Amino acid sequence: MCTLIRFKTFVKSTSKLLPAPSYENFSEILMREKVHVSPFSSLVYPPSAKELLDLAFKRSFKPRSSKERDPIRSARMREVGRIASMADVISSRLKEVVRSFPSFDALHPFYRELADVLIGVDELRVALSRLDWGRKMIRRLSRQYIRRLMGSEDFREMERIRKAAMGRISSIVKSISTDIDFVRSACQKLGKIPNIQVGSPTIVIAGMPNTGKSTLVRRISSGKPEIASYPFTTRSLLLGHFYLKGGALRVQVIDTPGLLDRPLSERNVIELQAILALKRLAWLIVYIIDPTETCGYSVKSQISLFEEITKEFSDIEVIITLNKRDLWSQFLENVGKCKKLLEERQKFFYEISAERGLGIDTLTATLGKEILELYDIRKARKSVD
Ligand SMILES: Nc1nc2c(ncn2[C@@H]2O[C@H](COP(=O)(O)OP(=O)(O)OP(=O)(O)O)[C@@H](O)[C@H]2O)c(=O)[nH]1
Ligand SMILES: [Mg+2]
């Protein structure tokens, strides 16, 4: 109720009190600032088992010059070099991959839970430990076979030892090929996570599919998510920014995949990312409703989802926006129904057209004012702590 009164006051006063945030020169400001990076931004993508073996064989058979005159010693050094080089190529590459992953226990819950939703942290841990096991086994094997080579004086025997070493090393790589594939797919998915700065001012845009979330993100921030006339265009979290306090305060705007009106237990991986953003990142939620129903979802189900969200995230301010204002004259009945349902619930809403830019100044002024208030509250709380 208190929120309702505050919004009603804002709508009259904010555009005068506060200039709409400036959305220009984002890239310049981004370059000036130290941009926070995702813990997965420097993952090393492993080659497949086949690519790794091809590379290792190629390197091990690369001709090397030797000053050794003694033919036995020269042959021995050549075979030792081949085993060592093969083991080195594979184990150093695997080590690089494993080391590039952050410690999951030390990660912020947002990033850990997101990794869990996208790939499964336990499965990833197992796959990484298998890669590490493979790397150590290959090192150990290469040492064993090199010791055997050092004791051999026979050309044929040396060749046999080298072939046996390469066969064993190849078998190990093949035995971890599914783990390598799992890590490759993890790198692909985690590498796409944007550089979201947890704990900094964040607005999360939520709503059912096709309601205009991405269009609004493009309109109010530097984010450039894809827009299309079909549902589930956005399949992961996307990030944009705008600036307050003359560029001194950066606000994150997060575009989320569309949510359906259904229980948490039935939500898929795409929807769970949106839930996670609401749970772990949102200072403020902008809930978009398409009252024209051209999104393909009824007003009733959009309001039912809104109620679920406000119940689930009751400590977060939710700003309702009714989108596609430019089409309303063609859908008066649906729009009337939507407004009536919200008014019955005593909910204030903003009327916008994200595509045409209608009502955007008032909305952004409110967002700016709300975020500044929340920022001051959090700052004051921190200084007391
Ligand atoms: N006429 C009109 N169309 C709009 C408006 N806002 C968005 N649209 C259209 O609605 C469709 C969906 O827009 P998106 O921004 O992709 O919607 P979304 O909510 O991000 O969709 P998902 O990512 O699939 O959940 C696109 O065809 C947009 O052009 C608006 O204000 N007016
Ligand atoms: Mg979208």
Side-chain angles (χ1 to χ4, degrees), residues 36-40 101-117 121 125 190 193-200 202 237 252 254 275-283 378 382:
H36 191 88
V37 288
S38 141
F40 305 115
F101 278 81
S103 150
F104 288 99
D105 294 331
L107 280 185
H108 185 279
F110 165 70
Y111 280 113
R112 194 174 53 240
E113 287 170 28
L114 186 55
D116 211 18
V117 163
V121 165
R125 273 194 175 121
L190 298 176
I193 297 176
N195 292 324
I196 294 168
Q197 193 159 15
V198 182
S200 74
T202 305
L237 302 180
Q252 302 183 122
I254 308 226
I275 297 291
L276 199 54
L278 293 167
K279 178 176 152 198
R280 293 284 182 196
L281 302 171
W283 284 32
R378 288 183 188 224
K382 257 192 197 161

Side-chain angles (χ1 to χ4, degrees), residues 87-131:
D88 192 51
V89 167
I90 298 170
S91 63
S92 60
R93 189 57 74 93
L94 292 178
K95 188 175 179 180
E96 226 185 320
V97 171
V98 174
R99 293 249 166 116
S100 72
F101 278 81
S103 150
F104 288 99
D105 294 331
L107 280 185
H108 185 279
F110 165 70
Y111 280 113
R112 194 174 53 240
E113 287 170 28
L114 186 55
D116 211 18
V117 163
L118 291 174
I119 38 164
V121 165
D122 288 344
E123 290 87 339
L124 179 58
R125 273 194 175 121
V126 170
L128 287 171
S129 69
R130 294 263 305 151
L131 261 59

Side-chain angles (χ1 to χ4, degrees), residues 140-281:
R140 193 177 309 156
L141 270 175
S142 76
R143 280 198 298 270
Q144 277 172 15
Y145 279 91
I146 287 172
R147 261 199 303 276
R148 279 175 59 185
L149 269 178
M150 298 312 273
S152 174
E153 300 284 332
D154 178 85
F155 290 116
R156 294 247 165 124
E157 192 192 9
M158 285 184 219
E159 196 182 330
R160 258 202 316 276
I161 294 172
R162 189 257 303 154
K163 280 186 176 165
M166 288 186 158
R168 297 275 306 272
I169 292 174
S170 302
S171 304
I172 290 174
V173 173
K174 284 175 193 156
S175 77
I176 57 168
S177 70
T178 49
D179 303 291
I180 294 178
D181 288 344
F182 189 86
V183 174
R184 279 160 67 86
S185 113
C187 283
Q188 253 171 2
K189 290 177 187 164
L190 298 176
K192 282 188 196 146
I193 297 176
N195 292 324
I196 294 168
Q197 193 159 15
V198 182
S200 74
T202 305
I203 299 170
V204 175
I205 315 290
M208 293 194 89
N210 221 11
T211 50
K213 298 178 295 299
S214 301
T215 310
L216 182 64
V217 169
R218 270 184 174 258
R219 173 68 65 184
I220 67 168
S221 79
S222 59
K224 292 284 168 275
E226 191 190 339
I227 293 169
S229 58
Y230 48 81
F232 298 110
T233 305
T234 307
R235 305 179 75 82
S236 60
L237 302 180
L238 298 165
L239 178 67
H241 297 100
F242 70 77
Y243 287 81
L244 295 171
K245 294 188 170 197
L249 184 65
R250 189 170 70 160
V251 181
Q252 302 183 122
V253 180
I254 308 226
D255 187 17
T256 62
L259 286 166
L260 295 178
D261 181 23
R262 56 184 176 185
L264 187 65
S265 56
E266 289 172 25
R267 293 205 183 282
N268 60 27
V269 171
I270 297 172
E271 289 175 278
L272 287 175
Q273 295 174 71
I275 297 291
L276 199 54
L278 293 167
K279 178 176 152 198
R280 293 284 182 196
L281 302 171

Side-chain angles (χ1 to χ4, degrees), residues 1-14 283-286 306 310 313-320 345-350 366-367 369-370 373-374 377:
M1 203 52 200
C2 165
T3 310
L4 178 68
I5 297 164
R6 274 164 67 203
F7 280 160
K8 281 189 171 167
T9 330
F10 281 162
V11 86
K12 290 207 181 96
S13 57
T14 46
W283 284 32
L284 202 60
I285 298 170
V286 172
F306 162 75
T310 44
F313 306 103
S314 53
D315 53 341
I316 309 170
E317 197 97 72
V318 182
I319 294 182
I320 307 172
R345 287 162 177 76
Q346 297 186 303
K347 296 292 176 194
F348 178 77
F349 48 84
Y350 288 83
T366 303
L367 296 179
K369 190 158 193 286
E370 279 283 308
E373 270 188 21
L374 290 166
I377 292 169

